[in-house]
Amino acid sequence: MRKFVGLALVAGALMVSACNTVKGAGRDVSSAGDAVAGAAEGAK
């Protein structure tokens, strides 16, 4: 759970800092979703 929270914080920080355009925001959200999904698979 602690790893998931840390990953979510990092993903959120990357999204905020890298969102210059709507297209970039979409990529960031997709990337964050992939990271969360990977963390969830690893926690099984």
Side-chain angles (χ1 to χ4, degrees), residues 3-19 24-25 27-37 39:
K3 184 187 261 185
F4 174 73
V5 172
L7 183 61
L9 289 174
V10 170
L14 288 173
M15 271 195 332
V16 170
S17 68
C19 291
R27 281 193 302 246
D28 291 341
V29 169
S30 176
S31 175
D34 291 342
V36 170

